[in-house]
Amino acid sequence: MEKAAASAPGKVILFGEHFVVYDKPAIVSAIDLRARVEISIYSREGVWLREKRMSNHPAVRAVEYIVQSKGFSSGLNIKISSDIPPSVGLGSSASIAVSSAAAASLIVLGRLDRELVEEAAFEGEKIVHYNPSGIDTTIALNGMGGLYRRSIGFTKINIPIEKILIIDTGRMRKTGEMVKRVREYMERNPERFNELLMIEEKLVNEALDMFKIGDLEGVGRLMLKNQELLREVGVSSNEIEETVRLALASGAYGAKLTGGGGGGCVICLVDEDIMDRVSKNISRFFRTYVVRLLAEGVREEKV
Ligand code: PMV
C-alpha cells in the first residue's frame, strides 16, 4: 500500500478525569468531532510530518513505534486534519495518535491491528500527558461510551444522553501540567486525597445508577459534585467557574470541566428541547459546540 488513511473520534469525560490516573473509574464517551490522518510512503528515510522532521509529536512517535517494532524500512510522511480543537480537554492528541497508528498499521501490515495501534498510540500520548491513564487512547480506539479503569480497561455502557453542549473557555493549557498539579496536591494532602478518591468512586457508581433510570437531573447534580472535587484538587479556573455558572443560569441540569482542566472545555448537560437556545445564549460569550455522544471509534478512511 502506497497510501492509507484513518480517523478517530475526540472524547468527553463525563465523570472521573484526573482520579482515573489513580486507578479510579471514569465515564467517557466518544464525540462526533474527528481527527483524520493520511500516511504515504515518502522518498526520504524516517517518519515525517508534512515533510518536516518533528520527533516530539504524538503522531510521529506512534508511527515510529510501529515502524520500529515491525522493522519497516521505507520513509513515511504524515498529514493530519482535525476538527477537534487542540489542548482544551477533548482528546485531540489521542485521536491524532490513534488515527496515525491506524494508518501506519494499514501501510506496514496491510490491516488494522488494534492491539498494535493501542500500544503505539499510548507511546505517542506519553509525549503530551505526563502520566497518561490511557482513557483518551482507549476511547479513540473503541468509540461509543463506557467505563474506564486503568487496571481493568474499557467496559461499554449504555449512556442515555444523545447530545451534549461543550463550551470552550478559550484558555489553552497542557494536560501534563494539570496532571502534575494534582500529584502535588496529593503529596501535600495525602489523607484528603484518599478521601476524594473514595468520594469520586461513589459518585461514578451513583452516575451509573442515574443512567440506568434515565434521570438526567440527577446526572446533572452529580456533574456539579464532580466539579467541586476537581476544584478542590486545583484544576478548575476562574473561566471554568464562570462558564459553569452561566450554563446553570441558562437552564443546564449540570456542568463541569472535562479533561485536564485549568481552562479548556466545560461540558453542560442540557435538555434537548432547550439545547439550541442555551448554546446560542452562551455563544455570545464563548465558543460552543453541540456534539453527539457515542461516536464510532477508529476506522479506515478512503484516500
Ligand atoms: O485533557 P485531555 O483531553 O487530554 O484529558 C486528560 C484526562 C486526564 O484524566 C486529566 C489525564 C489522563 O491521562 O487520564
Side-chain angles (χ1 to χ4, degrees):
M1 224 186 260
E2 279 287 303
K3 244 186 198 181
S7 74
K11 63 98 199 13
V12 287
I13 298 180
L14 297 167
F15 292 98
E17 51 274 275
H18 285 291
F19 302 100
V20 70
V21 173
Y22 300 88
D23 201 25
K24 288 295 159 194
I27 301 176
V28 61
S29 173
I31 56 176
D32 62 351
L33 299 175
R34 300 182 80 82
R36 183 181 188 280
V37 170
E38 189 178 295
I39 300 187
S40 41
I41 301 280
Y42 194 49
S43 51
R44 300 164 79 179
E45 220 174 84
V47 178
W48 300 74
L49 184 62
R50 286 203 178 270
E51 287 141 36
K52 290 203 176 68
R53 272 276 183 221
M54 190 106 61
S55 56
N56 215 17
H57 190 286
V60 174
R61 183 67 206 103
V63 175
E64 278 173 352
Y65 181 89
I66 291 184
V67 164
Q68 284 156 10
S69 63
K70 297 294 166 194
F72 189 72
S73 55
S74 310
L76 292 175
N77 186 39
I78 307 171
K79 273 192 218 158
I80 302 170
S81 59
S82 174
D83 35 54
I84 310 166
S87 305
V88 290
L90 300 181
S92 150
S93 64
S95 163
I96 287 171
V98 166
S99 30
S100 302
S105 168
L106 287 164
I107 289 214
V108 171
L109 303 175
R111 67 190 163 85
L112 210 158
D113 178 335
R114 298 176 71 85
E115 216 169 289
L116 179 67
V117 167
E118 187 163 18
E119 273 169 38
F122 191 68
E123 283 303 309
E125 187 69 347
K126 279 189 196 159
I127 292 179
V128 203
H129 284 205
Y130 156 68
N131 173 19
S133 66
I135 191 169
D136 286 14
T137 42
T138 300
I139 191 70
L141 190 77
N142 290 286
M144 306 309 287
L147 194 65
Y148 178 81
R149 191 163 188 156
R150 212 169 174 161
S151 57
I152 296 174
F154 183 70
T155 320
K156 241 180 225 175
I157 58 165
N158 206 3
I159 300 179
I161 304 168
E162 208 179 310
K163 290 179 186 168
I164 205 145
L165 174 65
I166 298 178
I167 310 175
D168 186 347
T169 64
R171 179 190 282 253
M172 288 166 86
R173 78 296 167 282
K174 292 204 169 90
T175 296
E177 280 168 18
M178 294 300 125
V179 172
K180 278 190 189 148
R181 197 183 278 184
V182 175
R183 174 164 293 273
E184 283 158 16
Y185 176 94
M186 178 189 77
E187 283 162 2
R188 283 196 311 274
N189 314 282
E191 277 169 25
R192 179 64 183 152
F193 191 70
N194 259 334
E195 265 170 40
L196 293 178
L197 290 177
M198 300 302 160
I199 297 172
E200 176 66 39
E201 183 163 11
K202 196 163 158 266
L203 201 148
V204 166
N205 288 329
E206 280 169 19
L208 293 175
D209 289 342
M210 297 291 174
F211 283 168
K212 277 189 197 130
I213 56 171
D215 181 350
L216 295 190
E217 276 179 50
V219 174
R221 275 196 302 276
L222 292 171
M223 284 168 80
L224 291 171
K225 276 199 191 163
N226 194 161
Q227 172 62 21
E228 276 171 30
L229 304 182
L230 291 161
R231 187 190 309 131
E232 188 166 343
V233 296
V235 293
S236 191
S237 70
N238 291 339
E239 297 89 347
I240 293 172
E241 296 300 323
E242 187 194 334
T243 317
V244 169
R245 277 196 297 274
L246 187 59
L248 293 178
S250 309
Y253 291 133
K256 62 177 271 294
L257 70 85
T258 192
C265 286
V266 163
I267 49 169
C268 314
L269 184 59
V270 183
D271 199 289
E272 280 223 20
D273 295 345
I274 59 165
M275 181 81 89
D276 289 340
R277 182 160 55 75
V278 174
S279 171
K280 205 166 160 211
N281 188 20
I282 295 175
S283 68
R284 289 185 292 150
F285 311 101
F286 297 100
R287 174 110 207 237
T288 60
Y289 304 80
V290 174
V291 297
R292 268 179 196 286
L293 299 188
L294 312 180
E296 192 186 344
V298 68
R299 64 176 181 234
E300 183 175 357
E301 296 282 350
K302 285 208 181 77
V303 286

